[in-house]
Amino acid sequence: ASDANILVLGESGTGKEVVARYIHQNSARSGCQFMDLNCHAIAETVLESELFGHEKGSFTGALSRRIGRIEAADRGTLFLDEIGDIPLAMQAKLLKTIENKRLYRMGGNEEIEVDFRLVAATNKDLEQEIGEGRFREDFYYRISTITIHIPPLRSRREDLPLLIDYFFKKSQNEMKKPIRKIDSQVTEFLLNYDYPGNVRELKNIIERLVVLSEEGIVEKDYLPASERGEKR
C-alpha cells in the first residue's frame, strides 16, 4: 500500500509476475491499468518505442502516433520483467523518467507527465551485472526501494502440497477431465522432484498428467521418461 518502487528477484518460473500482479491488486492503484513488458523479448531497436511511444513520422514505418507502455500505465502500475536485459543507454533514459515522472515520445517535443508505480523483476544478479559494467548502479538503487526475493521451489517444499492440489484442480476444471485417482508414485515424484523450472514446470507437468489421464486415473507412465522417479 505505497508508491515505492519494487524489485522482485528470483529464478525463472518462480512466479515473479504473479507477485507483481498481487502487489498491484492490493495497492491504491488496483482500479487502474497494470501494464507489463518483458524487456528480454523486445529487440533493442524497438524497446524505446515500446516504452516511450512515438509520434507519426518519427521513423520509417511510424504511420501514426503510438502511446508507449509507460504512458499507458498512467495512474496504474508499470511492470518491467527481465529488467536486467535493458541496454545501458535505455537504463539512463528510464532513470530520468522514473525520477521526474515525465517523458517525451520518440520524435516528439511535448513533455508528458506520467503517474505510475514501478515494479521490476529479473532473474539476474544485478550486483554482479553492476560490477561487470552491464547495469547502472544509480538505476539499480532507483528501482529497488523495496526488494523481494522469491526462493526457488526446491527451497520451499512446504508449498508443494498446496500447489500440487491447486494445479490439479485448475487443470481438471479447464479441461473438464475429473481425476478420481493419482498413482502414489506420481505423488511421491511430485513431492520430491527438484523443479529446475520452478512453479512453471510444476504447472506444466500437472497439466500434462491431466491431459494424458484415462478414466480419471493419473499413472506414473504419464511422466516424461527423463523424469520418471528420478531427481535432477
Side-chain angles (χ1 to χ4, degrees):
S2 78
D3 281 334
N5 296 329
I6 294 180
L7 177 63
V8 186
L9 301 174
E11 293 179 7
S12 179
T14 50
K16 297 186 289 296
E17 183 176 347
V18 174
V19 170
R21 288 184 181 275
Y22 182 81
I23 291 167
H24 171 72
Q25 289 162 4
N26 288 275
S27 73
R29 298 173 179 268
S30 60
C32 298
Q33 184 76 10
F34 178 89
M35 184 58 61
D36 65 311
L37 179 67
N38 186 327
C39 302
H40 177 73
I42 306 296
E44 184 175 344
T45 53
V46 181
L47 185 58
E48 183 173 2
S49 174
E50 284 289 333
L51 286 169
F52 296 94
H54 62 254
E55 297 290 351
K56 179 179 179 180
S58 58
F59 55 86
T60 302
L63 303 178
S64 61
R65 171 186 285 180
R66 185 180 191 280
I67 302 300
R69 303 295 178 99
I70 300 173
E71 193 175 345
D74 188 41
R75 294 184 295 140
T77 301
L78 175 67
F79 174 54
L80 297 181
D81 198 6
E82 304 302 347
I83 200 168
D85 292 321
I86 291 181
L88 285 167
M90 189 59 60
Q91 291 175 31
K93 188 166 184 177
L94 259 177
L95 174 61
K96 187 175 180 180
T97 299
I98 293 167
E99 287 179 338
N100 301 330
K101 296 296 173 71
R102 290 177 171 84
L103 60 81
Y104 291 92
R105 299 190 194 106
M106 290 178 64
N109 297 316
E110 177 190 359
E111 187 179 57
I112 301 165
E113 289 191 18
V114 284
D115 171 24
F116 64 94
R117 196 260 187 93
L118 177 68
V119 180
T122 183
N123 58 19
K124 290 189 174 181
D125 183 338
L126 292 186
E127 293 185 3
Q128 181 179 337
E129 294 293 300
I130 291 168
E132 296 177 1
R134 291 191 293 266
F135 205 83
R136 292 176 60 108
E137 189 171 20
D138 51 358
F139 186 52
Y140 170 73
Y141 289 122
R142 177 56 65 183
I143 66 176
S144 60
T145 306
I146 304 292
T147 301
I148 298 174
H149 293 266
I150 305 180
L153 190 51
R154 62 186 174 276
S155 298
R156 49 187 175 104
R157 292 190 178 278
E158 65 276 12
D159 291 344
L160 278 169
L162 285 172
L163 288 169
I164 291 167
D165 182 62
Y166 170 76
F167 286 125
F168 264 117
K169 287 178 179 177
K170 186 173 187 291
S171 295
Q172 289 177 73
N173 289 336
E174 289 178 352
M175 300 175 198
K176 296 179 173 53
K177 289 190 69 173
I179 299 298
R180 58 183 180 83
K181 181 182 177 183
I182 300 173
D183 189 303
S184 61
Q185 289 180 295
V186 172
T187 302
E188 183 182 357
F189 167 79
L190 292 173
L191 291 171
N192 290 284
Y193 183 55
D194 279 342
Y195 299 102
N198 291 294
V199 180
R200 184 183 293 126
E201 184 178 14
L202 170 63
K203 175 179 180 288
N204 289 342
I205 289 173
I206 290 175
E207 283 182 356
R208 183 167 58 233
L209 289 171
V210 173
V211 167
L212 297 176
S213 65
E214 296 180 0
E215 298 180 355
I217 300 173
V218 174
E219 298 183 5
K220 182 186 176 184
D221 288 344
Y222 301 153
L223 293 167
S226 60
E227 296 173 354
R228 288 175 194 166
E230 298 177 4
K231 286 187 180 182
R232 278 188 192 171

